[in-house]
Amino acid sequence: GAVVSQHPSWVICKSGTSVKIECRSLDFQATTMFWYRQFPKQSLMLMATSNEGSKATYEQGVEKDKFLINHASLTLSTLTVTSAHPEDSSFYICSAGYTDTQYFGPGTRLTVL
Amino acid sequence: DAKTTQPPSMDCAEGRAANLPCNHSTISGNEYVYWYRQIHSQGPQYIIHGLKNNETNEMASLIITEDRKSSTLILPHATLRDTAVYYCIVRVNFGNEKLTFGTGTRLTIIP
């Protein structure tokens, strides 16, 4: 139980385009999901907290207009990187809370050319 | 900021017990100790968590000192697949509470 999936697992796009990443809780409902970003050889950094039916809460320094988060159902949250640039290339990981623990998706590798 | 301190790296021989320490001297009374690991290019994997009693599951054991200022994660019989970065995190015991990751310990299992 407590499985979180992400789609796609990797994506390559051109600079200036937008990319959508999906995060799904497969066997439980999640009122709250989290989005992290990880650069090479660094730790995970929380970007935002996604709340079902309400606006996301962004961490300091994260541009909410660039990283659009939608949590329209209890099993799906999406992260859209708008007008992506090479510096947005990173490993994006989502997580969801189940009982007293958070479970993570496998991550999405974004490369912006 | 992360509230834990871990050694940056450790090696362990395959088949031996891997003991990963973590210091959390400022832990609050309602905070639990959680351990996750991240194998290269994958999302973090939950291992175990505890409040003050020692805990064991199919993956590992968690030993928390009586004053709760430090803990040790024990992988009883390390295999090559246990090579990963291990993160010790303290947080309240609530699924929707965010996790703050430190730099973790890079554990390398030596054949």
Side-chain angles (χ1 to χ4, degrees):
Chain A
V3 178
V4 178
S5 70
Q6 281 184 242
H7 178 80
S9 55
W10 58 270
V11 57
I12 301 173
C13 69
K14 294 182 178 180
S15 184
T17 61
S18 295
V19 175
K20 179 184 287 187
I21 302 170
E22 293 185 348
C23 176
R24 294 181 184 273
S25 56
L26 297 185
D27 50 1
F28 65 101
Q29 294 182 332
T31 56
T32 302
M33 292 183 173
F34 301 87
W35 287 96
Y36 296 80
R37 179 168 55 181
Q38 185 176 35
F39 292 108
K41 299 189 177 184
Q42 295 186 21
S43 188
L44 283 77
M45 294 297 295
L46 180 66
M47 299 176 63
T49 302
S50 168
N51 300 297
E52 188 268 336
S54 64
K55 292 183 178 180
T57 303
Y58 292 82
E59 296 298 302
Q60 188 174 7
V62 177
E63 302 175 58
K64 61 180 182 181
D65 294 332
K66 181 169 184 62
F67 298 99
L68 301 179
I69 291 173
N70 184 278
H71 194 157
S73 78
L74 289 173
T75 59
L76 173 64
S77 175
T78 60
L79 169 68
T80 301
V81 183
T82 63
S83 186
H85 289 95
E87 56 266 30
D88 298 322
S89 297
S90 188
F91 192 49
Y92 292 86
I93 309 167
C94 71
S95 71
Y98 178 68
T99 61
D100 56 3
T101 303
Q102 273 191 40
Y103 295 89
F104 287 80
T108 296
R109 175 82 51 194
L110 170 64
T111 302
V112 184
L113 302 177
Chain B
D1 292 336
K3 298 175 62 176
T4 63
T5 303
Q6 299 177 253
S9 64
M10 292 180 61
D11 292 339
C12 177
E14 187 178 17
R16 305 295 292 268
N19 296 278
L20 293 92
C22 179
N23 288 321
H24 31 79
S25 58
T26 61
I27 190 170
S28 300
N30 63 343
E31 289 182 317
Y32 284 62
V33 180
Y34 282 77
W35 283 84
Y36 286 81
R37 72 180 182 184
Q38 186 178 26
I39 296 171
H40 183 63
S41 295
Q42 297 182 23
Q45 177 188 22
Y46 165 77
I47 301 174
I48 198 168
H49 73 282
L51 180 63
K52 55 182 179 181
N53 297 321
N54 298 336
E55 302 287 344
T56 296
N57 63 19
E58 65 278 6
M59 290 183 67
S61 295
L62 174 60
I63 309 297
I64 302 174
T65 58
E66 191 169 347
D67 64 7
R68 303 209 321 125
K69 292 184 177 182
S70 65
S71 61
T72 301
L73 178 74
I74 301 172
L75 307 178
H77 305 287
T79 71
L80 297 179
R81 289 179 294 181
D82 293 321
T83 292
V85 178
Y86 287 76
Y87 295 98
C88 169
I89 302 169
V90 296
R91 67 188 279 263
V92 294
N93 187 22
F94 180 52
N96 290 337
E97 181 71 18
K98 66 182 180 182
L99 293 170
T100 301
F101 284 80
T103 53
T105 295
R106 181 173 298 279
L107 175 67
T108 302
I109 306 302
I110 309 297

